[in-house]
Amino acid sequence: MTNEESRIILCTGGARSGKSEFAERLVLSLPGRKGYVATGQIFDDEMENRVAKHKARRGNLWHNFEIPYDITASWSKILDACDVILVDCLTMYATNAMLKKEPQNQAECNALADALVAELKEVIEATHAADKTVVFVTNELGLGIVPNNRMARFFRDIAGLINQTVAQAADEVYFTISGITTELKAKEVHI
């Protein structure tokens, strides 16, 4: 079973807001074979616990892919195996890229942001061409104070650019806060 049309969906919110659970329920409500792209890496016991909870919640309903880097290298294989794909999450994907590249100045930060944005645009284009649906999960980081160190500001800026890129391409954008989700794209203001 395949989708009737290609869709790009973004689910955003704060940490522990319920956005991943919402995104999983959304994907399960759509027709077709389900794919789960996990971008997290286990570096400590907290992350190990988080990953275990996500895996237990998903069960055996999904084709699972663990992709911390270079999502474009695996995307055609994922599109062949799945009709509806959940990517959880873009923020962790950006974290992995930053830990791997460790930008030391604004030019390197800009280059990394450009590379990640280009990857996501390629994923979105391939998804449309294959007539599939992808649901991206991300954290909304821009609502707090400006971090006092350069690397944290680089991260916030890169995550913001990634989120904007996907939101602009998205057919639907959902925002979850305290377990309550609302759709934002339909209420978008254009000036």
Side-chain angles (χ1 to χ4, degrees):
M1 177 186 277
T2 61
N3 291 325
E4 296 169 8
E5 61 184 54
S6 176
R7 288 169 47 198
I8 306 299
I9 301 169
L10 178 65
C11 297
T12 188
R16 295 291 194 224
S17 63
K19 64 191 175 301
S20 290
E21 293 89 341
F22 170 79
E24 289 170 10
R25 288 191 310 271
L26 177 62
V27 168
L28 290 173
S29 75
L30 300 173
R33 300 164 297 162
K34 313 304 187 239
Y36 192 104
V37 176
T39 62
Q41 297 184 86
I42 298 174
F43 294 115
D44 55 31
D45 61 341
E46 182 274 334
M47 194 62 181
E48 183 176 21
N49 181 59
R50 183 181 299 256
V51 168
K53 284 181 180 178
H54 275 251
K55 284 182 177 180
R57 190 173 65 227
R58 287 196 310 266
N60 296 325
L61 301 173
W62 307 77
H63 296 277
N64 293 295
F65 305 89
E66 294 181 8
I67 304 176
Y69 311 103
D70 194 15
I71 197 168
T72 55
S74 303
W75 199 248
S76 64
K77 177 177 79 170
I78 294 167
L79 290 173
D80 288 343
C82 308
D83 302 306
V84 185
I85 302 118
L86 176 61
V87 177
D88 195 359
C89 81
L90 293 177
T91 315
M92 188 58 67
Y93 192 72
T95 298
N96 297 337
M98 286 199 66
L99 291 174
K100 189 175 183 181
K101 300 284 184 182
E102 295 186 17
Q104 298 300 308
N105 54 52
Q106 190 63 56
E108 290 177 8
C109 175
N110 293 346
L112 180 57
D114 291 346
L116 290 170
V117 164
E119 280 184 42
L120 290 172
K121 286 181 176 180
E122 187 176 328
V123 164
I124 290 166
E125 288 173 17
T127 301
H128 283 311
D131 197 28
K132 305 290 176 106
T133 293
V134 63
V135 177
F136 293 99
V137 175
T138 194
N139 287 289
E140 183 52 56
L141 302 176
L143 299 174
I145 62 171
V146 176
N148 69 352
N149 71 76
R150 181 178 63 178
M151 192 60 76
R153 288 190 303 274
F154 285 169
F155 175 70
R156 181 204 56 188
D157 292 350
I158 289 172
L161 288 172
I162 288 170
N163 290 350
Q164 286 183 54
T165 298
V166 175
Q168 288 169 2
D171 301 291
E172 302 161 38
V173 176
Y174 294 96
F175 183 70
T176 302
I177 186 167
S178 300
I180 299 170
T181 301
T182 186
E183 205 282 325
L184 299 177
K185 190 78 172 197
K187 297 175 184 176
E188 185 178 12
V189 175
H190 297 277
I191 298 175

